[in-house]
């Protein structure tokens, strides 16, 4: 007897044991307070979104959540379909994509995470939860350096315990004469790339239109170093180089060279160092638009979408019926093409 299926939805695909994990600090993060798994999870979602949601729900924390990696594991849908499904899951209240700064000083970098909730949440819940996450991250103290462990005590031999050790006679050693001003040579320690070089190398990761080669980074490094010498941070330098880019960049190295020269900030007078009791700069989680990736505060991105994408999703949703006049025009055009293809 054939097995009867009570639902027409696709079965949730099994997670491959070799599913790639994201870098430490990146990837999936499970939200607290979720309900236990049940067969009717995501029952109100369409078939495609239910299929993707079931797969994401079974992924472990820290798993890669990029559209490209998900499309590799879900062969029924391509990257465009996976991106549309993630946008629908964001609107349904199941996920939020965020970015948060980690590190200190010029070594600050952005970490991208995807918070997932099996239980659908509204915008107020997500805003409160992300504010709590931000407060927890800001209040986390910096790890203190570990004190070096004391050297282990050498056990005494039972035969000579309680007796003073006798000095061992050491024959005199001949030392070569050494100049009084000579210093012992130290091996040269390899120096890593400078902050200016790293800032240029990371431009391609922030925007693919500004991808530079190693030779390009080395060539532009002196120009970028002039910015850092004038007191600006690497974040300021990156924003100045990536703001207002044209739709197509034919020569990234030429564009960046011109901006480094034309937008060089003024030299500010040196000021006293920051006092020890000065409050640390506030770092907040920024929610990314699930559709276009534009960052913003959680309150400014309802349903995980920025205002233009949210308006597009609301106005031109999949439920909008097609225009009858357009259907008639397409049919007439196809009939005309068939007539032209008929043999004379």
């Amino acid at each position: 007897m054939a097995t009867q299926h009570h639902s027409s939805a696709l079965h949730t695909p099994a997670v491959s044991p070799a599913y790639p994990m994201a870098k430490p600090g990146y990837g999936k993060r499970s939200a607290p307070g979720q309900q236990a798994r049940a067969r009717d999870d995501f029952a109100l979602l369409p078939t495609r979104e239910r299929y993707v949601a079931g797969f994401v729900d079974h992924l472990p924390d820290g798993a890669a959540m990029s559209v490209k990696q998900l499309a590799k594991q879900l062969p029924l849908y391509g990257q465009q379909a996976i991106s549309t499904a993630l946008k629908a899951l964001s609107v349904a209240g199941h996920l939020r994509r965020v970015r948060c700064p980690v590190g200190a000083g010029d070594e600050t970098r952005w970490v991208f995470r995807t918070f997932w909730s099996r239980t659908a949440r509204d915008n107020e819940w997500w805003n409160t939860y992300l504010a709590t996450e931000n407060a927890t991250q800001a209040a986390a103290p910096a790890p203190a350096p570990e004190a070096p462990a004391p050297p282990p005590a050498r056990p005494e031999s039972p035969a000579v315990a309680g007796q003073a050790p006798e000095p061992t006679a050491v024959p005199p050693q001949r030392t070569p004469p050494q100049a009084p001003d000579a210093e012992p040579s130290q091996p040269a320690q390899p120096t890593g790339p400078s902050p200016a070089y790293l800032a240029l190398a990371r431009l391609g990761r922030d925007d693919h239109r500004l991808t530079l080669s190693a030779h390009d980074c080395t060539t532009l490094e002196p120009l970028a170093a002039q910015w850092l010498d004038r007191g600006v941070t690497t974040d300021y330098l990156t924003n100045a180089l990536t703001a207002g880019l044209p739709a197509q960049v034919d020569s990234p190295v030429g564009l960046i060279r011109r901006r480094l020269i034309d937008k060089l900030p003024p030299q500010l007078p040196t000021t006293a160092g920051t006092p020890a009791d000065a409050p640390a700069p506030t770092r907040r989680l920024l929610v990314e638009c699930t559709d276009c990736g534009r960052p913003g505060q959680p309150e400014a991105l309802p349903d995980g979408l920025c205002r233009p994408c949210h308006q597009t999703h609301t106005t031109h949703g999949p439920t909008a019926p097609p225009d009858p006049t357009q259907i008639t025009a397409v049919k007439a055009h196809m009939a005309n093409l068939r007539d032209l293809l008929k043999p004379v």
Side-chain angles (χ1 to χ4, degrees):
M1 182 177 65
T3 303
Q4 182 179 3
H5 297 282
H6 299 279
S7 176
S8 60
L10 299 173
H11 293 285
T12 301
V15 179
S16 172
Y19 187 86
M21 302 295 290
K23 296 180 180 179
Y26 293 73
K28 176 187 172 183
R29 290 291 183 275
S30 297
Q34 303 185 44
Q35 298 178 358
R37 286 194 177 97
R39 296 188 60 182
D40 58 348
D41 287 338
F42 319 113
L44 301 179
L45 297 176
T47 302
R48 180 182 61 187
E49 283 70 17
R50 193 186 319 172
Y51 182 76
V52 176
F55 180 79
V56 173
D57 186 55
H58 285 77
L59 291 177
D61 279 8
M65 284 292 294
S66 64
V67 174
K68 185 176 182 180
Q69 290 294 346
L70 292 175
K72 288 182 179 180
Q73 300 293 328
L74 302 176
L76 294 181
Y77 303 107
Q79 296 187 23
Q80 184 64 34
I82 295 295
S83 177
T84 305
L86 292 179
K87 180 174 65 175
L89 292 176
S90 177
V91 174
H94 291 287
L95 68 87
R96 288 292 187 273
R97 292 188 180 274
V98 303
R99 63 169 68 176
C100 55
V102 296
D106 293 340
E107 298 300 327
T108 303
R109 59 187 176 89
W110 290 98
V111 172
F112 301 89
R113 298 169 181 167
T114 301
F115 287 98
W116 172 261
S117 174
R118 185 184 311 111
T119 305
R121 308 291 189 178
D122 55 11
N123 291 320
E124 289 75 14
W125 187 93
W126 278 113
N127 293 342
T128 304
Y129 171 67
L130 294 178
T132 305
E133 279 289 314
N134 179 68
T136 303
Q137 189 178 30
E146 299 181 358
R154 300 179 59 182
E156 296 182 356
S157 174
V160 296
Q163 300 179 3
E166 298 180 358
T168 305
V170 179
Q173 303 290 329
R174 174 177 295 180
T175 56
Q178 185 176 4
D181 297 337
E183 297 181 355
S185 59
Q186 298 180 355
Q189 299 181 356
T191 58
S194 64
Y197 183 93
L198 293 177
L200 295 172
R202 290 170 182 162
L203 290 177
R205 298 185 180 182
D206 296 338
D207 196 314
H208 64 89
R209 292 172 292 182
L210 298 181
T211 303
L212 299 175
S213 64
H215 177 71
D216 296 338
C217 295
T218 304
T219 304
L220 299 176
E221 182 180 3
L223 296 176
Q226 294 181 11
W227 286 57
L228 302 183
D229 293 341
R230 299 194 173 203
V232 303
T233 62
T234 54
D235 289 339
Y236 182 91
L237 173 62
T238 301
N239 293 333
L241 296 178
T242 57
L245 291 175
Q248 181 178 357
V249 178
D250 297 328
S251 176
V253 61
L255 175 65
I256 295 176
R257 180 187 292 109
R258 177 49 54 190
R259 289 195 169 192
L260 287 173
I261 297 175
D262 295 346
K263 294 187 175 184
L264 182 66
Q267 180 70 47
L268 297 179
T270 57
T271 57
T274 305
D277 56 350
T282 304
R283 296 179 177 178
R284 297 196 60 184
L285 290 173
L286 296 180
V287 178
E288 279 194 345
C289 176
T290 312
D291 191 9
C292 67
R294 179 179 301 175
Q297 301 298 337
E299 300 80 6
L301 280 81
D303 299 332
L305 299 176
C306 63
R307 183 175 299 178
C309 294
H310 195 279
Q311 184 177 2
T312 303
H313 178 80
T314 306
T315 307
H316 306 286
T319 58
D323 190 357
T325 57
Q326 295 181 356
I327 297 177
T328 304
V330 170
K331 290 183 177 180
H333 182 66
M334 296 302 296
N336 186 26
L337 292 178
R338 294 190 188 98
D339 295 337
L340 295 175
L341 295 176
K342 290 180 180 180
V344 180

